[in-house]
Amino acid sequence: MTSLTHASLPGTQKATASLIEICSVRVGETLFGVAISHIVEIVGSARPQPVPLAPAFVAGLMHYRGEVLTTVSLRELLGLPRLERPQDILVVESSGGCFGLLVDSVGEVLTVSCQDFEANPSTLNEYRKGLFAGAYKLKGSLLVMLDPERLDPLRLSPEIAA
Amino acid sequence: MLHLSDKTLECFLLGLFTSGGGMDEMDELTREFLIESQEGLDRMELGLTDLEQRPNDTALLADIFRSVHTIKGTTGFLGFRRLETLAHAGENLLGLLRDGKLAANGPIVTGLLQLLDGLRSILRTIEADDHEGNGSDTDLILKLEKLHDPATHVKAAATPRLKRSARARSGTAALADKPALAESCAQVPMTPAALPARVRNTPASSLVLAPAADLSPNLVKEAVVSRPRMAFNSAAESTLRVDVALLNRMMNLVGELVLTRNQVLKATAADPNLTMLSRRLDMVTADLREAVMKARMQPVSNVFSKVPRMVRDLSEMLNRRVRLLMEGQETELDKSLLEAIKDPLTHAVRNALDHGIEPPEVRVATGKDPEGTLKLSAMQQGSYVIIEVCDDGAGIAVDKVRDKAIERGLLTAERAAQQSERELLQILFVPGFSTAAAITNVSGRGVGMDVVRTNVEKIGGKVEIESNAGHGTTLRMRIPLTLAIVPALIVRSVGQSFALPQGALSELVHVSQDQAASTIEWIEDAPLYRLRGKLLPLVFLDRMLMPTATSPTRNGDTFIAILDAEGRRFGLVVDGLADPEEIVVKPLSATIKRIGLYSGATVLGSGDLALILDPGAIALKAGIAMEVEQEREVATSTDPMAFAGKDTKYLVVEVAGRQAAVPLNEVLRIEQLPVSRIEYSRSRPVLNFDGEIVPVEDVGGVLLSARDKPSRQIIVVVCRAGDRHVGIVVSHVLDVAAGGDLHEAGSAQLSEGVTVLKNRVTDIIDLGMVVAFQGCQCAANEPTQLVEKIQ
């Protein structure tokens, strides 16, 4: 499972040896990362339009280049309290199409080596194991990898309690 | 033209020579061949059904012949032997018909239709698997050969002559090719007398195959020559095939451009330097949007063209004699909508033949023409296309429908007694009513009628059925011109904007804050509103959307939107109304769709997103029962103002002590505001609505009399007049009433006519005239003049 997820991360082609570029994002206290190749666009300080009766993890709808995208709130997924200020949205691509990922803020792009990747620790609860794809060991901190496939609103069941 | 043909020919030859080398070119060629052949076969199908009516139409025969001939010619060098053999067999038969050696009759047309199906199925196989499949067409070919047979028809030398004429058609180049001609003739039995016998005795495939195979070099030439000519015929040079996905994308981008334009217009409104520029942007965007919409439009004939064949097959199967009439085939409809009405139309035609039109002997017994008539018509009415399927069959026995409905508990006996025939017929659309047992009792009508309704309503249309027992049935579908852009009313609730499709909206009720408590009544926790004496269930949008929120404290006015969705009638209570807007519908992700209340989203002029509410789903969720009767207040009301059967509705207003009426469908909204809100531009009264200027017409001099009292409240009815909006100042809004057609043309200049509403003679305000007056540069005292004219 681990190696499979790992292999599916882009940037692991022979040409770039074992370096991949990751966009770092922050939600609460944790530093997360999304592979650059999954990101279509970064939309700064956005307020998605809320959708009454939608599952809690749906932050709302956003208008992106003529399409209406569903936005997933990472905060809600992690059970963190809602922020009242505008946040950043990553427009990401999964096999099911594009969707928005609402994060607190988008940080810099980091280049990391595959050798620093490790799978989810066994002590992590099952729910989070389902959300996270593993972690990269950075100098002095950890970068938790997010895989758009796992966060696609279609895959997230409406019942999950954040 | 000639030059172009040469060039096409060159390109084509080039393609031919290089095709052996590159697989890609070959594929391209095959694809093109497939598309062209399909089109040819579609034309042929239409032609064949026509042929039955006009068996001697030589032009028609030539056209059908050409379709098959082109397929045969092209397949020859693409190497599709099976297709070629079959097409050749058909061509032989068609040749006899075209040369008048044989007259087209039922069996021949049936045979040719089977040929068509055979060719189609091979083409489908090629499309799917890139080869022709291994099926055998011997039976079909034999059948076609047999059709040559009626000894009286087959002239001895038919086949050789056919060959020659076919070649003659394909140009002098082929004619000059004498050795080839001789060769081909040599392949065909030369003894005239021997031919009919051989046709009967020889296994058909070998007979047909031999000349075809040997002729392939000529066939290539035929194909080459026939291509440019075909292009000339179908004007292929001026048209282009475009992927629908690309058109969808263009539509999307244009929608985007419209939004950007709206924002640019807002941002530059204050800057005089940019006015010209932004106005130009505005114009170009509007034109572009129209052009892209137009590109998506297709004539309904694309769907209608399938009907003749269907009618033919069905009437043969069901033993009916049917004359098919089609009208308004050139009416255009959005491509996706055209797809969506295919099934409902098929259902309707099937029903009309199966249960509508009686067998000939029954018709004769009832004194009708043994041949029934099925009429399909399409016409545009405003932003809708009306499609009618009309038969002169047995009609529907309304009392049987009523009995069945009462028996099944869909209707109480006393209510049924009050209903008109037309209302009772709507029961046919109730799902479950159309189950088999019900059908046979009720002369069968109703198979899948709920499917028809569901499909049509899904695309924002409406269906109704009218029947005259013994004289026929008409099924009418009202289809919006385009799906992409829908007129909608923007409403506000829970602090957000929502779009409500206008198709479902029948009227709006304004409830002011102090009225709210007395107007909305409750039975336990079910809110109700008395609409002209009848109780109407209400749904609070905010409670539905936020069920967990504590009982909402409502400040300010509320509005009730009275909706009619899939036979469910209810009032939706919202906090506010904004202008109606033409919205561009954007699809939602599955996650949001699953909620079930929204049918899409849209971007408003302000740049904000708004969810589009699905009135049918809201009604379902709120448990609003299907109301079978429609427009009950018109039919069952004892109020003398209601004219049964006439459904033009008017907004009845009082202007300067007189009753006047405005056609309800032109009314956009009714505003109550202080006189101080009226501003004057070049001494003409205007209203400023969120940056939009609406000219105000003071017909009754209400404004003049209130000039010195800026706080006095006046009522302005904002109407649509052509493509403009105009406000009319009135003293009171009285009611909504149905009025009869105009009784006589009024002499008053402002009144288009007069009608009787609420037992009083009422002037109908002619909005066109109002705008005309607005247009000319009149003096400030004009309103008084108008008053004189109206009175």
Side-chain angles (χ1 to χ4, degrees), chain A residues 40-55:
Chain A
V40 184
E41 194 168 318
I42 296 167
V43 181
S45 46
R47 271 187 196 278
Q49 173 87 9
V51 180
L53 301 182

Side-chain angles (χ1 to χ4, degrees), chain B residues 649-653 660-664 666-667 717 719 728 765 767:
Chain B
K649 285 193 182 169
Y650 295 96
L651 180 75
V652 189
V653 295
V662 186
L664 192 62
E666 303 293 346
V667 176
V717 180
C719 310
I728 296 170
I765 296 176
L767 297 165

Side-chain angles (χ1 to χ4, degrees), chain B residues 47 52 159 203 268 399 546 599 721:
Chain B
E52 217 160 17
T159 312
T268 57
D399 35 333
M546 300 218 159
S599 57

Side-chain angles (χ1 to χ4, degrees), chain A residues 49-55 57-58 61-68 70 153-154 156 158, chain B residues 252 256 259 496 498 544-545 547 586 588-592 595 597-598 601 603 609 611 621:
Chain A
Q49 173 87 9
V51 180
L53 301 182
F57 64 80
V58 173
L61 298 177
M62 68 178 290
H63 180 222
Y64 174 72
R65 302 208 178 167
E67 281 174 65
V68 172
T70 307
L154 286 175
L156 296 170
Chain B
N252 223 345
E256 201 61 0
L259 291 172
Q496 272 177 257
F498 295 90
M544 172 160 274
L545 295 178
K586 313 257 181 206
L588 291 171
S589 73
T591 317
I592 308 294
I595 302 170
L597 289 183
Y598 314 115
V603 184
L609 274 176
L611 286 154
K621 188 167 172 137

Side-chain angles (χ1 to χ4, degrees), chain B residues 37-45 71 116 119-120 123:
Chain B
S37 304
Q38 297 285 14
E39 280 176 3
L41 289 178
D42 285 350
R43 265 205 314 277
M44 175 178 166
E45 185 163 31
I71 293 180
L116 184 84
L119 291 173
R120 273 211 180 122
L123 286 174

Side-chain angles (χ1 to χ4, degrees), chain B residues 61-62 65-66 68-69 72 87-102 145 148 154-170 175 181 184-185 188-189 195 199 207-208 211 215 222:
Chain B
L61 274 164
F65 184 90
R66 206 175 300 132
V68 179
H69 180 72
K72 192 196 81 174
H88 185 85
E91 197 193 43
N92 280 345
L93 181 60
L94 280 165
L96 290 174
L97 290 168
R98 193 194 48 174
D99 298 346
K101 307 264 160 39
L102 212 59
E145 297 289 345
H148 295 202
V154 179
K155 297 264 163 59
T159 312
R161 230 184 272 171
L162 155 71
K163 288 269 169 259
R164 205 166 293 133
S165 60
R167 185 134 313 109
R169 277 180 56 262
S170 42
L175 247 187
L181 182 65
S184 78
C185 290
V188 185
L195 180 65
V199 171
L207 175 77
V208 180
L215 278 175
E222 282 181 25

Side-chain angles (χ1 to χ4, degrees), chain B residues 400-411 427 433:
Chain B
K400 283 190 185 161
V401 175
R402 176 172 26 224
D403 295 349
K404 196 76 202 170
I406 295 170
E407 185 191 319
R408 298 191 44 150
L410 292 165
L411 209 61
I427 302 177
F433 189 78

